[in-house]
Every structure is written in structure tokens, then in C-alpha cells.
Amino acid sequence: MAKAPNHMVSLGPDMLEAPDGRIFVDAGTCEVTDLTDFKMVHFGTDTVRQLYRGSIKPGVLDLFESRDVVEFAGYDWMPGRTGRSSGYQFRLQNADLGLILLIKSFHVDEDSEGPHLKIEVSPHCIKAHTPAQLQQLLDILANDVLSDSVASGTAIHIALDFQGWEPPADFEARLHCRSKRVASVQGIQSIDWDSESATYGRGQSWRFGAANGLQMALYNKSQEAKAHDKLDMWHHNWEQSGQYDPEKPVWRLEMRFHHSVVRQFSEGTVDTETGEAFDFDSYYGLVDHRDGLWRYALRQFKFLARPGWFDPVWTVLSRQKLCDDEYQVDYKRYHKTAAGFSGKNVELLLGNFISCAARMRLTFEQTWRALHALPVYDLIRDHYLNKGKSSTDIQAHVLKLLKERVVRYGKAV
């Protein structure tokens, strides 16, 4: 059994360990765990969200004057509007292709350069393309939406589907992590992890961490796929592993990396042989580093057999590989400290900015747009993200401060 707190190690000098062993003996309790029946039926990228910056090309927003199918960039799309919580005003969706284009940031004027595009990629679109082909497709679409488009960030979900092991009743109690956000769901009818709502079948599912950070989900994928009428597609995918038993449920462990977390990895990770930094702004630049991110996530969310020791299944999960080649890398996230300009001074800056906005009698919408247009907005956002606040939380904080200034001081602000 592997030692837990910082990394996974061998069993000890008195015990031999096969590279892919499935029988574990706890040296402290002599308890034997047999994971011979553990079978991996799928391991790969489940979701990609590719962000781009640029200026919206003329005529793009005219597409949303129609409620019918529109032709754009050589494909048919269903146009529509989105809610403010998405951060974007419009969407083009092609479910057959497996792509959603979210267009026009709520926080930047349409005639200004900014983060005006996010492309969401579904599992079947990812599977239908090599990483290079997929990135080329995304870049082509971005060039049709934006002038001078530049990839500006990537969010990725890495999922491993398996059979032969199911989480015990005390899984939540034995899962150790820094996150205070835990969702445990039972007896539900369907599930939508992105919206943090759960509405599917029998069994139990867990989600640890915030959606705007590093998040782990463990759930019965067979039930989720059935609830979303995608069981046939996943049956086909699982059968390709050669290990799938259709009579047994498939469970999924999913690690979700928000684009802000990926950016932290890009800023904190270097090649230990060359000293070069990595560019994770595009999916293609990130794809060969998925193994490193996977193992990092397993160290942040630790399923323990007993204090200080990983449960054997966590050791087995850590051995799975997605990439043929592996960089000599120590994967680290660069966190801005709260003691310097990104901490106290950011809050002073925001407070003074809100006071000026209140004095000018700006509405909340005007205040938010002006704040988002500041060159230092990314610094403000990252400060609050590191404190566990989402973009919606930041907006609520700004609104609260603005109301307080107006009510307390009136025109004398």
C-alpha cells in the first residue's frame, strides 16, 4: 500500500511490487486488498473549453437576429442567447458536430478587443479528431468569429471510466482535500455537473471543489449516460477497451481543471531538463501534459485507507497513462500572494474605484463594464479567484459595495 501525503511510493524493502500489480497488503494491519477485477474501460479528455481573444468580425452578431438554423463557417448552427452567468451573450450550437460557440463577452463592448469567444467541445467531437486536427478546427472557427484571434486559455476535464470497484459507504469521510465545497447526491434522476445540479437515478455521486478551480467528481457513469440518452455511444466507446462487461456498472472519476488553474500551471511549470516554460493557452499545447495534471489532481484529492496511506485503488488510478511520451516536469501551480499588490492593494483599488463610480452616479452595469475594461482587471479577478470567489461572486461583491456607497453617502461620495 502506498504512502499518501505528498506522493505515491513503493511498498517497502521487504516487499516486491509488480509495475501493474493488483494485490495490495497493508504492512500495518496485514489487510489484503485484491483489485484484480479492476478494469479501465476509458481514459481520456472528456471536455475542452478553448478561449480566444480578439475583435468580433462584422456580421457575426447579425446571425442572432434569426431563430432558425444559420450557416456559418461551412456548418449549420442553431443560434440563441445565453444567460449572464455564462459570461457570454450569444451561442451557436451544432450538436451533431459536438461544438458550442459562445460569443460576445458580457463584460466588453462588442467593438472592443477582448475575450469574446469560448468554444465548448463535446466528448464525441474530441474522439473524432486528433489533438492537432481538433486545434486546427477550433482555430479556423475562431478566425471566422474574431479578427486577430489568439488562443487565450484552456479548460479541460480528464475522465477515467472503470469497472470492478465501487466507492464504499465511507468514501466521503476518507477523501481528504483542501476544498470545503462538497456535494453528495443520492437517489437522483439525472445529473448536470457543469450547472452543479443533480437529477439522476439510484446510487451515489460526489463532487469536491469549486467549478472555478480544480474539481473532482466521482459518479456512476452508466446511470448518467442513460439519463442523457448517450448510453449507446458510451457502450461503443467502452467496448473498444476489450475489457468492458455490459452487465456491470461503469463508474467515472473525473478531474476538472478550470482555465485559471491551467494558467497557474503554465506560469509555475518548467521543463527540468531545458528550463523552458510551457504554453498551455491552447488544447494542443496542453494535451501531452495530461498525465502530469492527472497525478497532480490525485495528490490534491486523496482517498485514504487509513491516516497517511493511500487506498490501493488510488495507487492503481495513478498508474494509468494517456501519453506515450512524458516530459521531465515538476508540475506546479503559481499562486499570486495576497501580501503584495495582488492582495491588500487590490481591495483598496477596488474600494476607491467603487467610490468614484458611485460619485459619478454610474449604474451597476456601467460600473462593471468600466471595471472589466481596466488593464489590471485580470489581477483583481485572480485575487478573488484565489479566495474562492467566482466571477458571479465578484459581480455580487461589486454591486454590494456600490449600493453601500450610494445609500451611506449619497451624492457626497
Side-chain angles (χ1 to χ4, degrees):
M1 190 177 298
K3 191 81 168 67
N6 297 314
H7 57 282
M8 300 181 184
V9 299
S10 65
L11 300 184
D14 299 326
M15 189 176 298
L16 298 176
E17 180 182 12
D20 196 26
R22 289 291 192 272
I23 297 178
F24 296 79
V25 180
D26 188 321
T29 64
C30 295
E31 180 180 354
V32 177
T33 302
D34 186 352
L35 292 175
T36 305
D37 292 335
F38 180 94
K39 307 294 183 185
M40 183 184 75
V41 296
H42 168 74
F43 189 26
T45 304
D46 183 70
T47 301
V48 172
R49 293 189 175 97
Q50 180 68 67
L51 281 64
Y52 291 92
R53 294 184 65 89
S55 301
I56 301 175
K57 286 187 172 181
V60 170
L61 299 185
D62 295 341
L63 297 169
F64 303 100
E65 296 177 0
S66 172
R67 295 185 178 182
D68 300 322
V69 173
V70 298
E71 192 277 333
F72 177 72
Y75 300 97
D76 290 332
W77 306 87
M78 179 59 68
R81 289 181 173 268
T82 63
R84 180 174 286 275
S85 60
S86 72
Y88 297 84
Q89 289 184 250
F90 306 102
R91 62 187 281 161
L92 293 175
Q93 180 172 5
N94 184 320
D96 184 56
L97 188 59
L99 293 174
I100 298 176
L101 278 57
L102 298 174
I103 301 171
K104 172 55 184 73
S105 170
F106 264 112
H107 314 302
V108 182
D109 291 337
E110 64 184 67
D111 55 353
S112 300
E113 185 274 337
H116 283 302
L117 176 63
K118 178 167 69 173
I119 304 180
E120 298 188 350
V121 189
S122 71
H124 78 264
C125 183
I126 295 169
K127 189 173 180 59
H129 298 82
T130 67
Q133 291 171 341
L134 180 59
Q135 191 66 56
Q136 183 181 35
L137 173 61
L138 300 182
D139 290 347
I140 289 172
L141 292 171
N143 287 332
D144 284 336
V145 174
L146 303 176
S147 298
D148 302 320
S149 66
V150 177
S152 59
T154 310
I156 184 174
H157 296 183
I158 303 173
L160 191 151
D161 298 343
F162 57 88
Q163 294 181 304
W165 180 85
E166 296 189 10
D170 61 349
F171 176 80
E172 184 176 328
R174 290 163 52 194
L175 196 289
H176 290 243
C177 61
R178 294 180 180 179
S179 174
K180 297 180 181 179
R181 299 191 182 187
V182 180
S184 178
V185 186
Q186 301 184 46
I188 47 184
Q189 296 301 316
S190 68
I191 191 163
D192 184 347
W193 292 112
D194 291 327
S195 65
E196 300 191 2
S197 63
T199 52
Y200 79 65
R202 297 176 181 176
Q204 190 167 23
S205 303
W206 295 268
R207 184 176 65 253
F208 299 83
N212 61 353
L214 174 58
Q215 188 178 71
M216 187 199 95
L218 177 66
Y219 55 100
N220 187 317
K221 181 61 180 178
S222 298
Q223 292 182 0
E224 190 268 353
K226 183 177 181 180
H228 286 85
D229 196 25
K230 295 182 179 179
L231 194 56
D232 289 341
M233 180 193 80
W234 281 108
H235 272 316
H236 175 72
N237 289 342
W238 294 330
E239 286 171 351
Q240 294 180 4
S241 70
Q243 303 188 85
Y244 173 57
D245 182 349
E247 301 300 319
K248 295 181 178 180
V250 173
W251 283 79
R252 166 168 289 190
L253 179 66
E254 187 170 333
M255 300 298 184
R256 300 171 174 182
F257 299 83
H258 188 263
H259 65 82
S260 63
V261 174
V262 174
R263 183 179 297 114
Q264 290 173 343
F265 276 112
S266 181
E267 295 173 349
T269 302
V270 297
D271 190 312
T272 56
E273 292 185 340
T274 66
E276 295 180 359
F278 296 98
D279 182 3
F280 295 160
D281 282 340
S282 70
Y283 174 64
Y284 185 69
L286 179 66
V287 69
D288 288 338
H289 297 270
R290 290 172 296 170
D291 285 339
L293 299 186
W294 176 256
R295 287 194 295 273
Y296 175 90
L298 287 171
R299 294 195 298 270
Q300 302 307 302
F301 300 98
K302 306 168 188 174
F303 180 49
L304 304 182
R306 56 187 174 88
W309 293 85
F310 280 110
D311 187 276
V313 74
W314 233 236
T315 300
V316 173
L317 290 168
S318 73
R319 293 170 173 166
Q320 310 307 316
K321 290 181 63 65
L322 278 168
C323 311
D324 295 331
D325 298 323
E326 190 168 345
Y327 292 92
Q328 297 301 312
V329 172
D330 183 14
Y331 290 92
K332 295 181 179 180
R333 293 166 63 182
Y334 172 73
H335 295 275
K336 296 180 175 68
T337 66
F341 188 80
S342 59
K344 178 181 178 181
N345 289 336
V346 162
E347 298 189 11
L348 290 173
L349 169 66
L350 182 61
N352 290 331
F353 176 85
I354 297 299
S355 294
C356 292
R359 186 177 183 85
M360 296 297 295
R361 289 295 184 182
L362 299 183
T363 65
F364 167 71
E365 288 75 15
Q366 292 170 326
T367 302
W368 181 252
R369 283 200 300 269
L371 178 65
H372 203 280
L374 289 176
V376 296
Y377 174 75
D378 286 349
L379 191 67
I380 298 172
R381 179 202 59 204
D382 289 345
H383 167 67
Y384 285 102
L385 286 177
N386 290 336
K387 295 179 67 175
K389 294 184 180 294
S390 66
S391 294
T392 302
D393 294 331
I394 299 172
Q395 290 185 46
H397 182 57
V398 170
L399 178 59
K400 176 176 177 290
L401 292 177
L402 185 64
K403 285 183 176 179
E404 287 179 351
R405 299 295 197 279
V406 172
V407 172
R408 183 175 298 175
Y409 303 111
K411 293 183 178 181
V413 175

